[in-house]
Amino acid sequence: MPKGKFVEELLKAYRDNDYELFKEIAEKIIEDEKDKNHHRLANSLQEIIDSFSDNQEYQQNNSSSINDSYFNKMPRDDQDGADLVSIIKPKYYLEDVVLSNENKRVINRIMAEYYGANQLRGYNLNAKRRILFCGPPGCGKTMTAQSLANEINLPLLYIHMDSLISSYLGDTASNLRKIFQYAEQGRWVIFFDEFDTIGKSRDDENEHGELKRAVNTFLQMLDNFKTETLLIAATNHQHLLDNAIWRRFDEIVYFDKPDIEQIQKLLKKKLRTFKSEIDFKKASEELVGMSHAQIERICKDAIKYSILYDIEIVNGEVLKECIEEENRRKKIYTGVDKE
Ligand SMILES: Nc1ncnc2c1ncn2[C@@H]1O[C@H](COP(=O)(O)OP(=O)(O)OP(=O)(O)O)[C@@H](O)[C@H]1O
């Protein structure tokens, strides 16, 4: 078919909201390009169509039915009835997160593999789906998991660790099974925060049998987990994790405290809602060693201070006052790496 005709057919399908026809014509175009030996273009078009149909499926599976069937079937702890999961529509996007260049590359690669999963499968390869986020508190593990979910248009399935770890013998493993069974019915980014709680080394003599069983169950579930979902586990205590757990993750991302350049970006982002007159470079030097969350708190305090004391502008002095306040607070936690 001549190109102009293809475009006409595509536009008609779009006008009539006929997704099936749209896909059919797109596939004809792909075949046509393959015939002309334009394989790179054909692959790239195929990738777009695949991600398109993934989204279509997500919308059909999730958006309309999430209220009734997904919420009704939510797994709960047998003993106290506590919810084991929550479905969250994330509020952040990746542009909100200040990341190192290295981490930006890794996250983009994870997204590229997610979208290219069908293409990879054609070569018998699996996209990265099991991701471990580690590093100190308040440096963006949760925020990045949320942003990633948003970017790939999936809801976040947040696992409640406190409900998952049951005080009743054998129930932790059974709770884990319930969570995985539930997760398999949809497409999400599953997020296990404080993952060390269940991923602790089985060699740890202080751990009782219940948690050792939970590690075994988690490993089994992870091995058998075949959906297109992304699973992200996050921990501040990566050194506690069982060796067998490390090996199960397709990607490991370390979230460190920000360097000077990242601190400057963070200050500009977090102060952008208010007028400021700051020497950002000088201010950043004062903040080295602090987490993103601590710097965010200083910025919020500085804005509040300026409002309450009618200063109307965040200046160097206000910021200095708030840095001192954060340092005072930090001293209370001496020896403990709290954000
Ligand atoms: N890299 C970042 N860029 C921008 N803001 C950040 C970043 N990291 C943290 N923040 C801010 O700090 C808050 C807390 O961060 P977040 O919950 O992502 O940290 P975390 O690494 O998951 O910490 P924890 O290990 O304690 O759960 C975020 O909601 C955000 O406002």
Side-chain angles (χ1 to χ4, degrees):
M1 206 191 292
K3 250 191 196 138
K5 199 74 195 150
F6 273 138
V7 175
E8 188 186 4
E9 298 279 300
L10 267 184
L11 289 178
K12 273 191 199 156
Y14 179 78
R15 180 197 61 198
D16 300 338
N17 227 350
D18 189 341
Y19 173 67
E20 283 310 312
L21 183 63
F22 190 90
K23 204 172 156 203
E24 205 178 291
I25 299 161
E27 273 159 7
K28 276 190 200 152
I29 297 175
I30 292 168
E31 284 312 309
D32 190 51
E33 294 301 335
K34 276 189 195 159
D35 289 345
K36 291 180 193 153
N37 274 338
H38 297 161
H39 291 289
R40 195 196 287 240
L41 177 61
N43 283 346
S44 157
L45 293 176
Q46 186 67 56
E47 217 175 302
I48 296 171
I49 290 298
D50 289 344
S51 65
F52 204 78
S53 43
D54 286 350
N55 283 344
Q56 243 356 67
E57 201 181 304
Y58 158 61
Q59 275 160 20
Q60 278 160 13
N61 280 349
N62 292 292
S63 58
S64 58
S65 56
I66 221 162
N67 282 331
D68 357 306
S69 65
Y70 280 91
F71 279 114
N72 288 341
K73 289 184 285 182
M74 288 237 284
R76 298 197 168 81
D77 182 71
D78 280 343
Q79 305 301 330
D80 57 12
D83 285 338
L84 296 173
V85 302
S86 289
I87 301 169
I88 295 173
K89 168 77 185 108
K91 58 178 178 176
Y92 295 116
Y93 285 89
L94 280 175
E95 63 172 16
D96 301 318
V97 195
V98 174
L99 289 171
S100 67
N101 288 337
E102 196 180 20
N103 282 358
K104 263 186 219 162
R105 269 198 305 277
V106 184
I107 300 296
N108 284 335
R109 180 66 190 269
I110 293 170
M111 291 202 295
E113 293 208 9
Y114 173 79
Y115 282 122
N118 285 345
Q119 207 184 344
L120 292 176
R121 211 171 298 121
Y123 291 88
N124 236 348
L125 295 166
N126 289 323
K128 294 174 197 280
R129 289 184 296 123
R130 292 168 278 214
I131 323 287
L132 179 65
F133 282 181
C134 42
C139 292
K141 298 183 291 297
T142 310
M143 192 181 185
T144 306
Q146 289 202 21
S147 313
L148 189 52
N150 236 347
E151 299 286 347
I152 59 178
N153 199 22
L154 293 182
L156 191 90
L157 191 68
Y158 182 90
I159 312 301
H160 293 287
M161 278 301 175
D162 44 349
S163 319
L164 164 62
I165 308 290
S166 174
S167 50
Y168 291 87
L169 212 60
D171 275 6
T172 304
S174 128
N175 282 347
L176 261 174
R177 269 187 224 104
K178 281 192 232 167
I179 288 172
F180 275 91
Q181 273 162 13
Y182 178 77
E184 275 178 5
Q185 296 164 39
R187 190 184 286 234
W188 338 78
V189 170
I190 309 180
F191 186 59
F192 284 87
D193 201 4
E194 298 173 28
F195 174 66
D196 46 282
T197 331
I198 48 163
K200 268 189 193 150
S201 172
R202 287 165 293 181
D203 296 337
D204 187 341
E205 284 172 9
N206 299 322
E207 272 323 326
H208 51 84
E210 171 71 345
L211 276 179
K212 290 183 187 176
R213 267 195 298 279
V215 177
N216 288 335
T217 307
F218 188 81
L219 292 174
Q220 267 170 20
M221 299 282 115
L222 214 51
D223 286 343
N224 297 329
F225 193 56
K226 296 283 186 250
T227 70
E228 296 309 312
T229 283
L230 275 188
L231 183 146
I232 301 178
T235 176
N236 302 330
H237 304 291
Q238 57 278 6
H239 51 280
L240 295 180
L241 296 184
D242 195 285
N243 273 339
I245 294 250
W246 283 100
R247 280 189 278 113
R248 289 330 199 269
F249 287 101
D250 306 314
E251 190 57 86
I252 297 167
V253 192
Y254 188 81
F255 291 78
D256 210 345
K257 289 183 178 168
D259 62 17
I260 290 245
E261 215 178 291
Q262 289 157 26
I263 296 175
Q264 279 197 52
K265 282 189 193 154
L266 200 61
L267 281 176
K268 286 178 188 164
K269 256 187 209 302
K270 305 287 177 185
L271 289 173
R272 70 172 174 238
T273 53
F274 206 72
K275 269 191 246 154
S276 64
E277 239 175 48
I278 301 249
D279 177 344
F280 283 103
K281 190 165 177 297
K282 190 161 160 262
S284 308
E285 284 161 10
E286 307 268 315
L287 296 166
V288 172
M290 289 196 183
S291 69
H292 301 73
Q294 284 173 314
I295 296 169
E296 178 184 60
R297 187 159 49 224
I298 289 171
C299 293
K300 279 191 179 156
D301 276 353
I303 294 174
K304 284 195 262 179
Y305 190 103
S306 306
I307 295 169
L308 294 175
Y309 292 96
D310 281 336
I311 303 173
E312 288 174 6
I313 201 156
V314 174
N315 58 32
E317 253 174 65
V318 172
L319 200 69
K320 192 160 172 263
E321 175 92 24
C322 297
I323 295 174
E324 276 168 19
E325 186 55 23
E326 183 64 32
N327 281 330
R328 179 198 62 78
R329 187 187 156 118
K330 203 177 166 190
K331 267 197 207 133
I332 302 172
Y333 293 125
T334 325
V336 184
D337 196 12
K338 287 247 163 70
E339 52 86 25

mmCIF file of all heavy atoms in Angstrom, residues 17 43 63 84 86 91 102 139-140 157 160 196 205 208 218 221 224 255 319 324-325 330:
data_model
loop_
_atom_site.group_PDB
_atom_site.id
_atom_site.type_symbol
_atom_site.label_atom_id
_atom_site.label_comp_id
_atom_site.label_asym_id
_atom_site.label_seq_id
_atom_site.Cartn_x
_atom_site.Cartn_y
_atom_site.Cartn_z
ATOM 1 N N ASN A 17 -11.682 5.822 17.032
ATOM 2 C CA ASN A 17 -11.328 5.184 18.306
ATOM 3 C C ASN A 17 -11.255 3.666 18.169
ATOM 4 O O ASN A 17 -11.617 2.930 19.094
ATOM 5 C CB ASN A 17 -12.394 5.552 19.345
ATOM 6 C CG ASN A 17 -11.757 5.991 20.617
ATOM 7 O OD1 ASN A 17 -10.533 5.834 20.774
ATOM 8 N ND2 ASN A 17 -12.545 6.523 21.525
ATOM 9 N N ASN A 43 11.700 -2.617 13.880
ATOM 10 C CA ASN A 43 11.814 -2.991 15.304
ATOM 11 C C ASN A 43 11.353 -1.860 16.197
ATOM 12 O O ASN A 43 10.665 -2.074 17.199
ATOM 13 C CB ASN A 43 13.270 -3.319 15.660
ATOM 14 C CG ASN A 43 13.643 -4.690 15.144
ATOM 15 O OD1 ASN A 43 12.771 -5.480 14.754
ATOM 16 N ND2 ASN A 43 14.933 -4.977 15.080
ATOM 17 N N SER A 63 -7.572 0.347 35.444
ATOM 18 C CA SER A 63 -8.223 1.592 35.822
ATOM 19 C C SER A 63 -9.694 1.400 36.181
ATOM 20 O O SER A 63 -10.132 1.871 37.209
ATOM 21 C CB SER A 63 -8.071 2.630 34.725
ATOM 22 O OG SER A 63 -8.619 2.118 33.540
ATOM 23 N N LEU A 84 -2.309 -6.207 53.804
ATOM 24 C CA LEU A 84 -0.899 -6.530 53.536
ATOM 25 C C LEU A 84 -0.329 -5.625 52.446
ATOM 26 O O LEU A 84 0.884 -5.498 52.308
ATOM 27 C CB LEU A 84 -0.757 -7.999 53.106
ATOM 28 C CG LEU A 84 -1.156 -9.036 54.167
ATOM 29 C CD1 LEU A 84 -1.148 -10.444 53.586
ATOM 30 C CD2 LEU A 84 -0.201 -8.956 55.350
ATOM 31 N N SER A 86 -1.115 -1.882 49.807
ATOM 32 C CA SER A 86 -1.947 -0.733 49.412
ATOM 33 C C SER A 86 -1.644 -0.436 47.953
ATOM 34 O O SER A 86 -0.505 -0.606 47.515
ATOM 35 C CB SER A 86 -1.555 0.535 50.171
ATOM 36 O OG SER A 86 -1.916 0.461 51.486
ATOM 37 N N LYS A 91 2.872 10.062 43.087
ATOM 38 C CA LYS A 91 2.741 11.496 42.779
ATOM 39 C C LYS A 91 4.001 12.059 42.120
ATOM 40 O O LYS A 91 3.961 13.150 41.562
ATOM 41 C CB LYS A 91 2.397 12.284 44.041
ATOM 42 C CG LYS A 91 3.391 12.141 45.162
ATOM 43 C CD LYS A 91 3.004 12.998 46.358
ATOM 44 C CE LYS A 91 4.028 12.776 47.463
ATOM 45 N NZ LYS A 91 3.890 13.554 48.617
ATOM 46 N N GLU A 102 25.003 8.325 36.964
ATOM 47 C CA GLU A 102 25.086 6.859 36.899
ATOM 48 C C GLU A 102 23.703 6.235 37.157
ATOM 49 O O GLU A 102 23.232 5.390 36.399
ATOM 50 C CB GLU A 102 26.062 6.408 37.978
ATOM 51 C CG GLU A 102 26.566 5.011 37.824
ATOM 52 C CD GLU A 102 27.539 4.688 38.954
ATOM 53 O OE1 GLU A 102 27.508 5.379 39.995
ATOM 54 O OE2 GLU A 102 28.308 3.757 38.795
ATOM 55 N N CYS A 139 17.501 9.230 50.746
ATOM 56 C CA CYS A 139 18.249 9.573 49.528
ATOM 57 C C CYS A 139 17.497 9.181 48.255
ATOM 58 O O CYS A 139 18.096 9.070 47.183
ATOM 59 C CB CYS A 139 19.642 8.961 49.565
ATOM 60 S SG CYS A 139 20.652 9.718 50.843
ATOM 61 N N GLY A 140 16.189 8.905 48.357
ATOM 62 C CA GLY A 140 15.380 8.808 47.151
ATOM 63 C C GLY A 140 14.990 7.415 46.691
ATOM 64 O O GLY A 140 14.501 7.260 45.569
ATOM 65 N N LEU A 157 2.251 -1.055 44.013
ATOM 66 C CA LEU A 157 1.668 -1.961 45.011
ATOM 67 C C LEU A 157 2.618 -1.946 46.212
ATOM 68 O O LEU A 157 3.688 -2.552 46.180
ATOM 69 C CB LEU A 157 1.540 -3.373 44.434
ATOM 70 C CG LEU A 157 0.713 -4.336 45.273
ATOM 71 C CD1 LEU A 157 -0.753 -3.939 45.290
ATOM 72 C CD2 LEU A 157 0.833 -5.761 44.734
ATOM 73 N N HIS A 160 2.976 -3.699 53.027
ATOM 74 C CA HIS A 160 3.068 -3.267 54.430
ATOM 75 C C HIS A 160 3.893 -4.277 55.215
ATOM 76 O O HIS A 160 3.391 -5.326 55.610
ATOM 77 C CB HIS A 160 1.672 -3.163 55.059
ATOM 78 C CG HIS A 160 0.864 -2.071 54.466
ATOM 79 N ND1 HIS A 160 1.114 -0.744 54.735
ATOM 80 C CD2 HIS A 160 -0.173 -2.073 53.598
ATOM 81 C CE1 HIS A 160 0.262 0.018 54.065
ATOM 82 N NE2 HIS A 160 -0.522 -0.774 53.358
ATOM 83 N N ASP A 196 15.065 -5.519 54.325
ATOM 84 C CA ASP A 196 15.921 -6.354 55.178
ATOM 85 C C ASP A 196 15.109 -7.092 56.241
ATOM 86 O O ASP A 196 15.524 -8.144 56.733
ATOM 87 C CB ASP A 196 17.022 -5.497 55.822
ATOM 88 C CG ASP A 196 16.452 -4.219 56.394
ATOM 89 O OD1 ASP A 196 16.170 -3.274 55.622
ATOM 90 O OD2 ASP A 196 16.249 -4.177 57.597
ATOM 91 N N GLU A 205 22.478 -15.699 63.829
ATOM 92 C CA GLU A 205 22.072 -16.579 64.944
ATOM 93 C C GLU A 205 20.920 -15.989 65.750
ATOM 94 O O GLU A 205 20.191 -16.695 66.429
ATOM 95 C CB GLU A 205 23.262 -16.817 65.868
ATOM 96 C CG GLU A 205 24.242 -17.796 65.256
ATOM 97 C CD GLU A 205 25.531 -17.905 66.048
ATOM 98 O OE1 GLU A 205 25.597 -17.357 67.162
ATOM 99 O OE2 GLU A 205 26.457 -18.547 65.514
ATOM 100 N N HIS A 208 15.101 -16.068 64.498
ATOM 101 C CA HIS A 208 14.407 -17.321 64.800
ATOM 102 C C HIS A 208 13.901 -17.949 63.500
ATOM 103 O O HIS A 208 13.941 -17.346 62.425
ATOM 104 C CB HIS A 208 13.288 -17.109 65.819
ATOM 105 C CG HIS A 208 12.355 -16.012 65.455
ATOM 106 N ND1 HIS A 208 11.306 -16.213 64.611
ATOM 107 C CD2 HIS A 208 12.341 -14.699 65.802
ATOM 108 C CE1 HIS A 208 10.665 -15.071 64.460
ATOM 109 N NE2 HIS A 208 11.265 -14.138 65.163
ATOM 110 N N PHE A 218 10.326 -16.320 50.222
ATOM 111 C CA PHE A 218 10.533 -15.186 49.316
ATOM 112 C C PHE A 218 11.351 -15.620 48.094
ATOM 113 O O PHE A 218 11.023 -15.280 46.958
ATOM 114 C CB PHE A 218 11.228 -14.040 50.054
ATOM 115 C CG PHE A 218 11.296 -12.784 49.239
ATOM 116 C CD1 PHE A 218 10.204 -11.939 49.172
ATOM 117 C CD2 PHE A 218 12.421 -12.465 48.507
ATOM 118 C CE1 PHE A 218 10.233 -10.784 48.394
ATOM 119 C CE2 PHE A 218 12.463 -11.319 47.719
ATOM 120 C CZ PHE A 218 11.370 -10.478 47.675
ATOM 121 N N MET A 221 9.159 -17.619 45.774
ATOM 122 C CA MET A 221 8.177 -16.758 45.102
ATOM 123 C C MET A 221 8.853 -15.954 43.985
ATOM 124 O O MET A 221 8.322 -15.816 42.896
ATOM 125 C CB MET A 221 7.545 -15.765 46.097
ATOM 126 C CG MET A 221 6.794 -16.387 47.230
ATOM 127 S SD MET A 221 5.178 -16.967 46.723
ATOM 128 C CE MET A 221 5.308 -18.670 46.925
ATOM 129 N N ASN A 224 9.568 -18.047 40.961
ATOM 130 C CA ASN A 224 8.396 -18.472 40.183
ATOM 131 C C ASN A 224 7.567 -17.307 39.664
ATOM 132 O O ASN A 224 6.550 -17.501 39.019
ATOM 133 C CB ASN A 224 7.478 -19.356 41.044
ATOM 134 C CG ASN A 224 8.204 -20.615 41.440
ATOM 135 O OD1 ASN A 224 9.059 -21.092 40.689
ATOM 136 N ND2 ASN A 224 7.923 -21.132 42.627
ATOM 137 N N PHE A 255 21.780 4.296 46.231
ATOM 138 C CA PHE A 255 21.401 5.709 46.350
ATOM 139 C C PHE A 255 22.245 6.342 47.446
ATOM 140 O O PHE A 255 22.027 6.089 48.627
ATOM 141 C CB PHE A 255 19.908 5.843 46.687
ATOM 142 C CG PHE A 255 19.015 5.442 45.561
ATOM 143 C CD1 PHE A 255 18.775 4.104 45.284
ATOM 144 C CD2 PHE A 255 18.427 6.390 44.744
ATOM 145 C CE1 PHE A 255 17.966 3.716 44.227
ATOM 146 C CE2 PHE A 255 17.614 6.021 43.694
ATOM 147 C CZ PHE A 255 17.387 4.687 43.429
ATOM 148 N N LEU A 319 18.856 30.700 55.505
ATOM 149 C CA LEU A 319 19.266 29.322 55.227
ATOM 150 C C LEU A 319 20.264 28.836 56.294
ATOM 151 O O LEU A 319 20.173 27.726 56.805
ATOM 152 C CB LEU A 319 19.886 29.233 53.818
ATOM 153 C CG LEU A 319 19.916 27.836 53.239
ATOM 154 C CD1 LEU A 319 18.514 27.345 52.919
ATOM 155 C CD2 LEU A 319 20.754 27.797 51.953
ATOM 156 N N GLU A 324 21.748 25.322 60.833
ATOM 157 C CA GLU A 324 22.146 25.141 62.246
ATOM 158 C C GLU A 324 21.087 24.344 63.003
ATOM 159 O O GLU A 324 21.399 23.475 63.807
ATOM 160 C CB GLU A 324 22.364 26.502 62.909
ATOM 161 C CG GLU A 324 23.766 27.028 62.633
ATOM 162 C CD GLU A 324 23.923 28.490 63.023
ATOM 163 O OE1 GLU A 324 23.097 28.996 63.818
ATOM 164 O OE2 GLU A 324 24.864 29.125 62.497
ATOM 165 N N GLU A 325 19.838 24.664 62.705
ATOM 166 C CA GLU A 325 18.726 23.958 63.355
ATOM 167 C C GLU A 325 18.758 22.458 63.014
ATOM 168 O O GLU A 325 18.585 21.595 63.873
ATOM 169 C CB GLU A 325 17.411 24.612 62.872
ATOM 170 C CG GLU A 325 16.153 24.123 63.517
ATOM 171 C CD GLU A 325 16.166 24.213 65.035
ATOM 172 O OE1 GLU A 325 16.935 25.026 65.620
ATOM 173 O OE2 GLU A 325 15.422 23.444 65.632
ATOM 174 N N LYS A 330 20.351 16.843 64.320
ATOM 175 C CA LYS A 330 21.166 15.671 63.964
ATOM 176 C C LYS A 330 21.984 15.177 65.170
ATOM 177 O O LYS A 330 22.180 13.990 65.351
ATOM 178 C CB LYS A 330 22.096 16.048 62.812
ATOM 179 C CG LYS A 330 22.568 14.867 61.996
ATOM 180 C CD LYS A 330 23.417 15.333 60.838
ATOM 181 C CE LYS A 330 24.171 14.197 60.204
ATOM 182 N NZ LYS A 330 25.172 14.707 59.251
#
